[in-house]
Amino acid sequence: MAHVQDRTVESVERPSLGSRGSRPGSRRGSGSVVLATGQTLAYHTRTNDGEDLPHATKKTMTDYLRKYESLFTLTPQRMRMIVEAFKETLDKGLKKYGEVVPMIPTYVFGWPTGGEQGDFLAVDLGGTNLRVCLVSLTGNGKFELTQAKYRLAEEQKQEDGQKLFDFCAESLATFVTTQLEEEIGKLKPGQELALGFTFSYPTEQERIDHGRLIRWTKGFGAANTEGQDVAEMFRCSLAKQNIPVKLTALINDTTGTLIASHYVNPRTKIGVIFGTGCNAAYMEKVGNIDKIKNLGLPPDHEMAINCEWGAFDSFEHEHLPRTKYDIIVDETSNKPGEQSFEKLIAGRYLGEILRLVLCELIDEGVLFLGQDTYKLEKPYAFDTAFLSLMESDPTDELLMIIGIFTHFFAIETTLAERQFFRALARLVGRRAARLSACGVAAIVSKMGYLEEGCSVGADGSLYNKYPKFPDRVHEGLTDIFGEKGRNIITHHAEDGSGVGSAIIAAMTKRRQEAGLFPQC
């Protein structure tokens, strides 16, 4: 087991949810739950449901549920068709640049041995925080982690890019000088600590220690950065700090997830992220990556591939079962036509899909007649965390769902409506998990992992926090492959953006010292 020492340098308290006044009425049950966001959700139910408001009947809700079951249910046959199309798309991305699913070569060669040892640094530029880590690899697949987090202000994300990297370097220097006195004291003159830089934004790489930013995502818009070599920009910032650190590897968090998970569990062959977005990485034979043949690398060596598979079926929309709600999500997004797979399965979009169904039923006069629904009609007002809470509500009266609708949307609901909402959340969540299984199955099938089986290191808020998501992925794999699908086991991944980044820095340092593939 890893020992984690977490020093949060700056934390910001999230406001708790204020209570909302309610009309007089006796209460049958009440309580509260803390959401993943830090908000406190209070809930209650009244014994007198006799509001003078028209509500949908149980029979009406059952009839509508049948309609949505047919729209959101994926049959095993349809899943197998998606897997075949997915495999073809992955192969296309390996052949040439510019494909929809880009299959990005990472220049991470081979697997870690598990015997890597030493102190390595990692810097993770995330969407909310900058994280700085010291990872002490102790061999036998074990490590110790010391980390600090630095909150990123919104203005920092939009300022000049060099200023952003200056902040990253200053934070690293603070961490090194305050936390690593002993480690720095052991360094010989001219010796440097190897650094892995996790930069999980679309980046083109021709070497492991360089990378040109294609475009910012996750709300970043720092000027003078797109089209630039972000590793070189970070090096310029590091040079101002006078610390014994060398940027050795620029990596994506999904690649880090793959490598860190394999370091701890050598049966791991695939790394996946199922969170706000989605992605996968796996190890490919160099001889199968046609687009880098000009580098003259040995064809039997292996290299990690960052799939960026959220783009599967983008633009053409030939293979994925999109409903009219999915099409609305796509057409009203900031990148219409793109990231089609991600928009069906990622945490950013599941709540919006369910909200659009509810809005349609409101427009048809089925739900919430006589109530003001303006809060629910705001795009992305329905968080995917609500679906998770709705599915996991253990109470007969579905008190959690009452709390969601009364406190966030000022809407009263009946038990029949709440049962419908929970069933609808289950449909949307189950479809996401089964489509996720299609992506995993495509890599398993392409690489021939089915017979001997393999582990899949999985991370992200959907996988970790959404009820039954892992079970539904496994169910999907069995529906695709039959009983042999049980040979594919997903497990909670190791920390890809911190520990994985440091392990890759260790592997790269060892490769460079051995003089292997200096062009990469």
Side-chain angles (χ1 to χ4, degrees):
M1 290 290 291
H3 169 68
V4 179
Q5 185 178 359
D6 190 350
R7 299 186 178 95
T8 302
V9 174
E10 180 182 345
S11 62
V12 176
E13 275 192 32
R14 297 178 185 273
S16 62
L17 183 69
S19 61
R20 192 178 72 84
S22 62
R23 288 187 287 271
S26 60
R27 295 183 178 179
R28 184 158 53 221
S30 62
S32 65
V33 64
V34 179
L35 303 182
T37 59
Q39 292 177 303
T40 301
L41 168 63
Y43 57 79
H44 72 268
T45 183
R46 287 194 281 272
T47 55
N48 56 332
D49 260 347
E51 314 280 332
D52 292 323
L53 296 170
H55 285 282
T57 65
K58 187 169 185 176
K59 181 181 183 307
T60 304
M61 293 287 83
T62 302
D63 290 343
Y64 274 96
L65 187 58
R66 283 198 200 98
K67 168 189 169 183
Y68 295 116
E69 280 174 347
S70 67
L71 283 174
F72 286 101
T73 299
L74 268 177
T75 65
Q77 182 182 8
R78 183 66 188 270
M79 292 171 76
R80 285 190 282 269
M81 292 169 64
I82 292 169
V83 169
E84 288 306 309
F86 218 127
K87 280 166 61 181
E88 288 178 19
T89 302
L90 298 180
D91 282 332
K92 280 183 183 176
L94 292 174
K95 284 183 169 60
K96 60 179 183 178
Y97 290 100
E99 290 295 316
V100 171
V101 174
M103 303 295 280
I104 299 168
T106 64
Y107 304 97
V108 175
F109 289 92
W111 298 108
T113 64
E116 287 81 5
Q117 294 186 351
D119 294 326
F120 299 89
L121 289 165
V123 170
D124 174 21
L125 182 61
T128 308
N129 296 311
L130 173 75
R131 191 161 63 116
V132 181
C133 311
L134 171 72
V135 182
S136 299
L137 303 176
T138 56
N140 297 316
K142 293 185 169 58
F143 60 85
E144 292 183 358
L145 172 68
T146 304
Q147 64 179 359
K149 291 178 184 174
Y150 303 83
R151 174 70 83 180
L152 287 167
E154 284 305 313
E155 52 268 25
Q156 285 177 295
K157 300 179 187 180
Q158 311 304 327
E159 286 176 344
D160 182 75
Q162 196 62 59
K163 285 183 71 175
L164 176 64
F165 291 116
D166 284 348
F167 172 73
C168 295
E170 289 161 11
S171 301
L172 174 62
T174 301
F175 180 80
V176 166
T177 53
T178 58
Q179 309 291 345
L180 307 186
E181 269 187 84
E182 187 179 333
E183 287 80 0
I184 296 300
K186 292 177 186 174
L187 294 177
K188 296 171 185 172
Q191 195 176 0
E192 295 173 307
L193 283 172
L195 167 69
F197 183 29
T198 304
F199 187 79
S200 299
Y201 306 87
T203 305
E204 273 185 2
Q205 286 186 267
E206 294 177 359
R207 289 167 51 188
I208 196 164
D209 56 355
H210 289 267
R212 185 180 65 82
L213 175 64
I214 299 169
R215 64 183 176 278
W216 282 116
T217 56
K218 303 177 189 176
F220 276 81
N224 305 315
T225 314
E226 292 183 358
Q228 303 299 312
D229 182 348
V230 292
E232 197 54 44
M233 292 178 75
F234 191 26
R235 277 193 197 90
C236 290
S237 297
L238 284 173
K240 302 172 188 175
Q241 297 302 321
N242 193 31
I243 50 176
V245 172
K246 179 185 179 183
L247 199 166
T248 306
L250 180 72
I251 74 148
N252 175 279
D253 60 350
T254 314
T255 309
T257 294
L258 171 69
I259 296 300
S261 297
H262 187 276
Y263 177 79
V264 173
N265 174 9
R267 277 184 56 81
T268 304
K269 299 288 181 68
I270 301 169
V272 291
I273 305 286
F274 299 126
T276 309
C278 68
N279 197 12
Y282 73 103
M283 200 66 70
E284 182 62 85
K285 281 273 196 295
V286 167
N288 295 332
I289 313 171
D290 289 353
K291 60 189 177 186
I292 61 168
K293 281 193 171 169
N294 63 303
L295 296 176
L297 299 169
D300 57 336
H301 274 62
E302 291 183 307
M303 182 190 290
I305 295 292
N306 166 27
C307 298
E308 293 292 349
W309 73 4
F312 171 63
D313 203 34
S314 293
F315 307 111
E316 301 299 327
H317 309 306
E318 294 176 330
H319 307 294
L320 293 172
R322 299 202 308 165
T323 66
K324 60 183 171 183
Y325 318 105
D326 301 310
I327 292 168
I328 293 170
V329 166
D330 179 35
E331 291 178 347
T332 56
S333 72
N334 63 337
K335 293 188 186 327
E338 300 182 34
Q339 298 299 101
S340 293
F341 187 54
E342 184 168 281
K343 286 170 182 169
L344 297 186
I345 71 173
R348 172 165 172 72
Y349 303 103
L350 300 187
E352 178 65 2
I353 293 167
L354 187 137
R355 187 194 71 84
L356 288 168
V357 173
L358 298 184
C359 286
E360 178 181 71
L361 293 174
I362 291 169
D363 291 344
E364 291 178 4
V366 177
L367 289 177
F368 312 138
L369 283 173
Q371 300 193 65
D372 195 338
T373 57
Y374 77 96
K375 289 184 177 179
L376 192 56
E377 288 163 19
K378 181 184 175 186
Y380 291 90
F382 208 91
D383 196 284
T384 297
F386 294 162
L387 275 71
S388 179
L389 287 168
M390 289 161 74
E391 280 214 55
S392 58
D393 193 333
T395 62
D396 291 340
E397 292 289 326
L398 300 178
L399 305 180
M400 204 83 76
I401 301 177
I402 291 176
I404 290 167
F405 280 89
T406 57
H407 288 278
F408 286 93
F409 304 107
I411 291 172
E412 301 291 336
T413 58
T414 65
L415 180 58
E417 289 168 341
R418 296 192 293 276
Q419 289 169 336
F420 169 76
F421 302 150
R422 181 166 68 174
L424 188 59
R426 190 177 293 132
L427 286 173
V428 173
R430 186 167 182 260
R431 183 186 70 160
R434 288 170 73 78
L435 283 169
S436 299
C438 291
V440 173
I443 296 176
V444 166
S445 179
K446 170 182 161 35
M447 299 304 294
Y449 293 149
L450 185 61
E451 293 296 329
E452 65 179 47
C454 74
S455 289
V456 178
D459 205 354
S461 52
L462 267 186
Y463 184 84
N464 295 331
K465 296 177 182 177
Y466 198 102
K468 299 179 182 173
F469 191 90
D471 292 341
R472 288 167 178 167
V473 171
H474 291 142
E475 175 195 84
L477 289 167
T478 306
D479 280 352
I480 292 165
F481 292 126
E483 282 303 303
K484 287 182 180 176
R486 300 184 190 279
N487 295 342
I488 312 302
I489 306 294
T490 70
H491 62 91
H492 177 67
E494 293 299 329
D495 168 20
S497 55
V499 176
S501 183
I503 294 168
I504 290 170
M507 293 167 63
T508 304
K509 182 183 179 189
R510 187 182 62 201
R511 169 172 71 82
Q512 290 172 341
E513 286 173 349
L516 288 173
F517 319 133
Q519 71 273 41
C520 300

